[in-house]
Amino acid sequence: MRMRKDSGPDIFDLRLLKQLATDASQSNSQLGKKIGIFSASAISKRKKSLGERGLMGGIRASLNVEKCDLNYPVVILVRGKYGLNYVETLGEKLKKLPGILSIYNVSGDIDFVVFAVYRNRTEYLSILDKLYDMEEIERTDTRQIYKIIKDFDYSNAINLTDSLSPM
Amino acid sequence: MRMRKDSGPDIFDLRLLKQLATDASQSNSQLGKKIGIFSASAISKRKKSLGERGLMGGIRASLNVEKCDLNYPVVILVRGKYGLNYVETLGEKLKKLPGILSIYNVSGDIDFVVFAVYRNRTEYLSILDKLYDMEEIERTDTRQIYKIIKDFDYSNAINLTDSLSPM
DNA sequence: TTTGAAAAACTTATTAC
DNA sequence: GTAATAAGTTTTTCAAA
């Protein structure tokens, strides 16, 4: 009998994911101390395995948008014109626009919630023009982001998983 | 005369930020090759400086929510009851809820756009109950996320900055 | 101040248990 | 998973531009 390589995450995988979602720049021995594995090599193997099993998406730096002179962050709600594969088609088109941070296909009277960031209102308006030019779009509704109360990160999500004891 | 420590990012800072926003797990020498600095120690110093100057927020792992059995991702639009500091007060309360990925204070007829992820509808509904119990909230409007077209990442944003030549 | 080369310190990957 | 060791990476220091 052979151990299934793609079995679900165990308690240590979940603890490790939570730590990595919080701060992925920690060394393996730091991570080990926090999650209860006292061997840096075991952490190293698990990190690799999390990637191979597809549980972890990637490791990325976040920006301080103000400091980077990106002072016009927005949420754009997009309603597409219904048609064959319109979600996929329009999704791909939206992906190619400058400044797009994320795109979600959602339920309700809109199809997409899009996050984007620009340097100023003028730059944002030039992108909005491109949206108006897309014939696949029925309407858009833009909201300026006044304040980032909590920047996007996954660290809270892991807590939900049954087997993860409090850390 | 002494060089200002907090002067704006130069071309190499921006290239490095873009690389780190795309994949922060690369080694310093890999990063150096990509951005045109052929010394790992220079990259190391610049990474540290990006953190110290506050241009870079943090380095975090993203999750594959399906693989992590978080199959109920949502966007919640929240309208607060107007009052003294209601944005800050309500923002802090929302932050403490389980499963919250991000919170933005926005313009228009709603105050907050909130991203969250749950294991299933039941779990999500239990959180929605908590929202209904908050007297600071006037109304909520939830949209289920059917598909993550593009997961949140900042790598596109850097392209907007004037001085960054195409990479 | 910034760069790059070399040394030192540290981290990660590999192997055996 | 742990321990030991080998391989690789990051950080520091220092001389040069």
Side-chain angles (χ1 to χ4, degrees), chain B residues 55-114:
Chain B
L55 293 159
M56 195 176 70
I59 294 177
R60 294 185 204 99
S62 69
L63 306 187
N64 181 324
V65 288
E66 284 107 20
K67 293 261 169 118
C68 293
D69 285 312
L70 296 163
N71 294 300
Y72 207 88
V74 293
V75 180
I76 311 174
L77 310 175
V78 176
R79 166 91 188 219
K81 279 186 188 138
Y82 183 80
L84 190 63
N85 288 338
Y86 79 111
V87 169
E88 288 70 20
T89 313
L90 187 46
E92 287 305 311
K93 273 193 114 167
L94 293 172
K95 248 191 200 171
K96 288 175 185 133
L97 292 172
I100 304 294
L101 305 183
S102 62
I103 307 175
Y104 303 97
N105 171 222
V106 300
S107 62
D109 64 328
I110 50 167
D111 294 304
F112 301 97
V113 176
V114 177

Side-chain angles (χ1 to χ4, degrees), chain B residues 37-62:
Chain B
I37 286 179
F38 298 93
S39 149
S41 61
I43 300 292
S44 165
K45 273 179 260 180
R46 271 180 191 270
K47 272 162 92 170
K48 199 176 163 197
S49 158
L50 287 176
E52 285 169 353
R53 287 182 292 160
L55 293 159
M56 195 176 70
I59 294 177
R60 294 185 204 99
S62 69

Side-chain angles (χ1 to χ4, degrees), chain A residues 16 34 49 67 104 111 148 165 167:
Chain A
L16 182 52
K34 289 189 184 165
S49 159
K67 291 262 170 116
Y104 304 96
D111 294 304
I148 299 174
S165 46
M167 289 172 70

